[in-house]
Amino acid sequence: MTRYEAELVVARRETAADGVLVLTLRHPLDARLPAWEPGAHVDVVLGPGLERQYSLCGDPADGAEWRIAVLRERDGRGGSAYVHGELRAGDEVRVRGPRNNFRLEPAPRYRFVAGGIGITPLLPMLAAAEEAGAEWTLLYGGRSRARMAFTQELARYGDRVTIVPEDESGLLDLASVLDDLSPDTLVYCCGPGPLLDAVEARCPAGSLRVERFRPKETDAGAPSEGEAEFEVVLARSGRTVVVAPGVSVLDAVRGAGVEVLWSCTEGTCGTCETEVVEGDPDHRDSVLTEEERAAGETMLICVSRCRGRRLVLDL
């Protein structure tokens, strides 16, 4: 499996809101960048052991540059602090991708819900829905108006966009946009976990698409079931790798010398999604839909395990 990877130049560095920095990335030789669709994200390698995923929030038709937005997180793990404090216009940064686990599916009607920096993957979706002639609305909340990015950019859509600063208007009125959804409406939501959980509780089955920046809280299996030793058979070579309790499938196969793609190790980016040839995966990711989990055709090997004693993977 191959993927695009290159050193890109920070062509522009702009402030989109309090604590939100927008970086525009270009190829140093002005080469065209790979095409992408709304919902895609890229991996940005900021240093040894410091790799983060950011949604592309520019124009998919512009092959000359990619745009990302980075929220400065006070209690983060160092990625946003590095971007805000160290990266300057003219600097180069290694970027991989794009990948898309949050695709905009065709529909006549959409309801978009964003919380804070969760507005970023939705921006190109709004433009795509508009171009397609779909009926849509956006409900966008944040702690304060000053901390909500891209509000001026959104103004062109008029009353289809509802801006809700919490310090002025309180929490988002989800009932106003999610109750009584028509069967042909898709809901797209991105933001903090509590917002996604609240939206999920109101949406009919099959209507919701979400992207999480942090792993979803899951009910792990009992130690005898969820953390027991099991075998992974590598279908391409026939080799068998033992996955010990407390060791991820990803670490086990890498430890056996198998090259696999990986990034976040939290089950949120989708880089390590692997085809399941045989066996019953114990899904613990925040990417796959319930339908995809039930089908059991792929799994994210950085966090998911096996419900039985043996998995056969396309590795």
Side-chain angles (χ1 to χ4, degrees):
M1 184 183 299
T2 60
R3 58 175 173 171
Y4 180 81
E5 182 171 344
E7 297 286 340
L8 301 184
V9 174
V10 179
R12 293 190 300 279
R13 173 186 157 110
E14 305 163 292
T15 299
D18 289 352
V20 179
L21 188 65
V22 175
L23 302 181
T24 300
L25 307 174
R26 300 180 65 95
H27 194 280
L29 301 178
D30 290 328
R32 298 280 294 182
L33 300 177
W36 59 280
E37 297 178 351
H41 67 269
V42 293
D43 303 325
V44 181
V45 183
L46 303 169
L50 198 60
E51 183 173 327
R52 299 292 183 265
Q53 291 73 44
Y54 299 109
S55 298
L56 292 172
C57 58
D59 180 2
D62 186 353
E65 61 185 37
W66 284 342
R67 185 176 72 162
I68 61 174
V70 182
L71 171 68
R72 177 66 182 263
E73 299 185 76
R74 294 180 180 177
D75 299 322
R77 297 175 297 155
S80 67
Y82 181 88
V83 171
H84 280 252
E86 303 295 333
L87 275 186
R88 297 288 181 264
D91 289 349
E92 290 192 356
V93 63
R94 180 159 291 274
V95 181
R96 303 184 182 119
R99 291 191 314 280
N100 201 336
N101 305 308
F102 194 41
R103 296 184 186 278
L104 184 67
E105 301 172 23
R109 295 175 180 81
Y110 299 99
R111 296 294 177 262
F112 298 102
V113 182
I117 198 64
I119 188 62
T120 51
L122 300 187
L123 286 176
M125 291 187 181
L126 304 182
E130 181 78 357
E131 185 177 356
E135 176 192 319
W136 65 268
T137 62
L138 167 67
L139 185 63
Y140 175 23
R143 293 182 180 176
S144 67
R145 194 175 298 272
R147 293 175 60 86
M148 298 176 69
F150 305 113
T151 53
Q152 292 185 344
E153 191 171 314
L154 292 167
R156 66 189 179 102
Y157 294 121
D159 60 6
R160 278 171 294 179
V161 173
T162 302
I163 305 293
V164 186
E166 185 177 344
D167 62 347
E168 298 176 20
S169 307
L171 298 176
L172 293 177
D173 181 8
L174 297 179
S176 66
V177 296
L178 298 180
D179 285 3
D180 300 321
L181 289 176
S182 61
D184 59 358
T185 301
L186 289 181
V187 180
Y188 279 78
C189 181
C190 187
L195 172 63
L196 271 60
D197 294 340
V199 170
E200 187 174 35
R202 284 187 171 272
C203 287
S207 65
L208 177 62
R209 310 290 184 270
V210 303
E211 182 167 64
R212 294 180 180 269
F213 295 138
R214 291 183 176 84
K216 182 178 181 179
E217 292 293 330
T218 58
D219 296 325
S224 60
E225 173 188 332
E227 299 301 334
E229 178 179 288
F230 60 95
E231 295 180 345
V232 169
V233 179
L234 311 180
R236 300 180 195 177
S237 66
R239 295 177 59 192
T240 296
V241 176
V242 175
V243 182
V247 177
S248 69
V249 176
L250 172 65
D251 287 343
V253 297
R254 291 184 68 231
V258 180
E259 291 189 10
V260 292
L261 298 180
W262 61 281
S263 181
C264 75
T265 71
E266 294 183 324
T268 58
C269 75
T271 305
C272 67
E273 185 174 357
T274 302
E275 182 179 344
V276 178
V277 178
E278 183 182 324
D280 186 8
D282 178 8
H283 296 289
R284 302 184 180 192
D285 65 276
S286 302
V287 173
L288 299 180
T289 65
E290 289 304 317
E291 292 80 5
E292 290 170 330
R293 292 184 177 203
E297 296 176 352
T298 66
M299 65 182 290
L300 271 66
I301 61 174
C302 67
V303 292
S304 297
R305 299 183 66 80
C306 178
R307 294 190 183 278
R309 300 291 299 168
R310 182 174 179 268
L311 282 173
V312 182
L313 300 181
D314 183 24
L315 292 173

